[in-house]
Amino acid sequence: MTNITDGDLLLKNITAQAPFPICFADLEKAVAEKIEAGPFGYIRSGAGGEQTLRNNRAAFEKYSIVPRFLNDVSKVDTSVHLFGKTYPTPLLFAPVGMNGMVHDEGELAVARAAQFLNIPYIQSTVSTFALEEVALAAPSATKWFQLYWSTNEEIAFSMATRAEEAGFEAIVLTVDTVMLGWREEDVRNQFSPLKLGYARGNYMNDPVFTATLPDDSFESYVQGVLQNVFHPTLNWAHVRELKKRTNLPILLKGILHPEDAKLAIDNGIDGIIVSNHGGRQLDGVIGSLDALPAIAKVVHGQIPIILDSGVYRGMDALKALALGADAVAIGRPFVYGLALEGQQGVQKVMTNLYDELKVSIALAGATSVKGLRNITLVKQDGTEVK
Ligand SMILES: Cc1cc2nc3c(=O)[nH]c(=O)nc-3n(C[C@H](O)[C@H](O)[C@H](O)COP(=O)(O)O)c2cc1C
Ligand SMILES: O=C(O)C(=O)c1ccccc1
């Protein structure tokens, strides 16, 4: 429970000694000026002509909040309950690979920020640091492991087992990246972080993976990762097999169709992440927020729904929560914070999102995350959507 009468949540940003970018556009601009075009383009861009990337933002802009007043909103409860634990805020760290591209401490810095803020951290398969290193760096953070299936599926099972042994509390199987999207900006910049070795963290120390390599040269590792990380055969039978091989709850990340959400429930999946991978996979795809209402209808509270792709403000989070998400995951914003100021930068970005969310919930006339479901949203044309 946050007491909103504590003071002006914005003031600490105004009196800050060293100003820090306050919104997504400012963050992006600052990072563009700080890091090289290759890594910056890799992080910023979407696939193809970036229609999906634009759809994500357009979807948020299409919905308007119709606030209610004269409720006492002095106390706002932003807490959320997920898989048996309560967190102070409905925000999560989306899995983002290869953090070593923008900061030497990479995922370690992000996981430490997650621990400090008590926000669940989802570590990517293609991280610069190994999951065991992250577990050591942030032992009390809630950690989930994002799994990319492997062509050699024993590698996938090995990683899932390692995650469980290292104290990770859920497996997030990403289903939208069976091959890499058509990323034109990376062609322009002639940039591949995979080829530079930024994705080796979890592979280097995997006994099943290393046993498949001809030698321990850098080139063999990189080739091994490339051969395994893309896995176009992935299907529901693999999901069922994974369920047998792990005791952890499984979430599917990248669900956009209500039928797939239904199949996830039918297959005993524990949660879904409505996402189009931040517009980085198939171009021309529905904005994730636009996909949410139909999915929320089918899921009907049976399993938690997390949404990502384009949540760049507290007010965006509010809209997703009002339309049926239980929590939202943040991608690029925290990566930009990491690039600018490491762990401190990640904390500043997430704290600003959280503070803006608190202010927005209160100003919309609600006093809790659940209460947002009663807030009226209208679409651009004025039609009431809920
Ligand atoms: C640089 C970068 C790397 C990513 N790597 C992964 C990954 O390894 N696994 C994954 O499931 N999603 C990955 N994603 C997608 C994010 O988890 C998330 O879906 C997306 O960033 C959300 O959109 P947003 O950046 O607009 O917040 C990556 C995104 C970015 C920007
Ligand atoms: O860049 C990404 O979005 C991503 O998810 C990914 C997937 C496989 C290998 C490297 C990155």
Side-chain angles (χ1 to χ4, degrees), residues 126-202:
V126 288
S127 48
T128 305
F129 288 89
L131 63 93
E132 290 84 359
E133 294 173 299
V134 167
L136 272 179
S140 64
T142 297
K143 297 170 289 291
W144 299 354
F145 183 66
Q146 177 268 324
L147 182 65
Y148 274 133
W149 200 254
S150 272
T151 307
N152 173 349
E153 58 191 55
E154 289 306 324
I155 297 170
F157 297 135
S158 170
M159 287 189 185
T161 305
R162 285 169 51 203
E164 194 168 344
E165 283 170 2
F168 284 65
E169 295 171 38
I171 300 288
V172 174
L173 179 69
T174 298
V175 297
D176 60 13
T177 308
V178 298
M179 57 194 80
L180 201 64
W182 187 256
R183 315 248 178 111
E184 297 182 359
E185 188 70 357
D186 300 336
V187 178
R188 278 179 216 112
N189 289 328
Q190 294 289 290
F191 184 77
S192 166
L194 276 178
K195 286 220 151 185
L196 294 171
Y198 286 116
R200 290 180 303 149
N202 286 317

Side-chain angles (χ1 to χ4, degrees), residues 44-182:
R44 182 210 63 78
S45 64
E50 302 190 337
Q51 187 190 324
T52 310
L53 196 61
R54 290 189 296 277
N55 284 351
N56 283 338
R57 291 304 307 151
F60 282 101
E61 305 248 329
K62 244 178 347 217
Y63 290 98
S64 300
I65 303 155
V66 188
R68 299 296 305 271
F69 300 114
L70 299 163
N71 291 317
D72 178 351
V73 293
S74 57
K75 289 193 178 60
V76 172
D77 179 6
T78 55
S79 68
V80 63
H81 197 67
L82 290 170
F83 304 109
K85 286 170 87 170
T86 303
Y87 304 96
T89 158
L91 304 175
L92 287 86
F93 286 95
V96 170
M98 303 173 287
N99 290 178
M101 247 186 331
V102 299
H103 196 278
D104 284 349
E105 289 167 23
E107 292 84 13
L108 305 183
V110 185
R112 286 184 188 119
Q115 176 169 277
F116 180 81
L117 297 166
N118 194 13
I119 291 179
Y121 174 66
I122 311 180
Q123 184 177 349
S124 163
T125 287
V126 288
S127 48
T128 305
F129 288 89
L131 63 93
E132 290 84 359
E133 294 173 299
V134 167
L136 272 179
S140 64
T142 297
K143 297 170 289 291
W144 299 354
F145 183 66
Q146 177 268 324
L147 182 65
Y148 274 133
W149 200 254
S150 272
T151 307
N152 173 349
E153 58 191 55
E154 289 306 324
I155 297 170
F157 297 135
S158 170
M159 287 189 185
T161 305
R162 285 169 51 203
E164 194 168 344
E165 283 170 2
F168 284 65
E169 295 171 38
I171 300 288
V172 174
L173 179 69
T174 298
V175 297
D176 60 13
T177 308
V178 298
M179 57 194 80
L180 201 64
W182 187 256

Side-chain angles (χ1 to χ4, degrees), residues 83 157 159-165 167-172 239-251 268-270:
F83 304 109
F157 297 135
M159 287 189 185
T161 305
R162 285 169 51 203
E164 194 168 344
E165 283 170 2
F168 284 65
E169 295 171 38
I171 300 288
V172 174
V239 173
R240 288 189 285 272
E241 186 59 27
L242 177 65
K243 211 175 134 53
K244 284 190 209 145
R245 298 276 200 130
T246 180
N247 299 308
L248 299 177
I250 300 174
L251 295 91
I269 289 300
D270 304 281

Side-chain angles (χ1 to χ4, degrees), residues 42-43 94-97 124 126 146 148 174 253 275 277-278 280 308-310 312 330-332:
Y42 185 83
I43 295 159
V96 170
S124 163
V126 288
Q146 177 268 324
Y148 274 133
T174 298
K253 173 171 182 280
S275 164
H277 213 104
R280 303 164 66 80
D308 77 24
S309 300
Y312 297 156
I330 308 299
R332 292 180 185 87

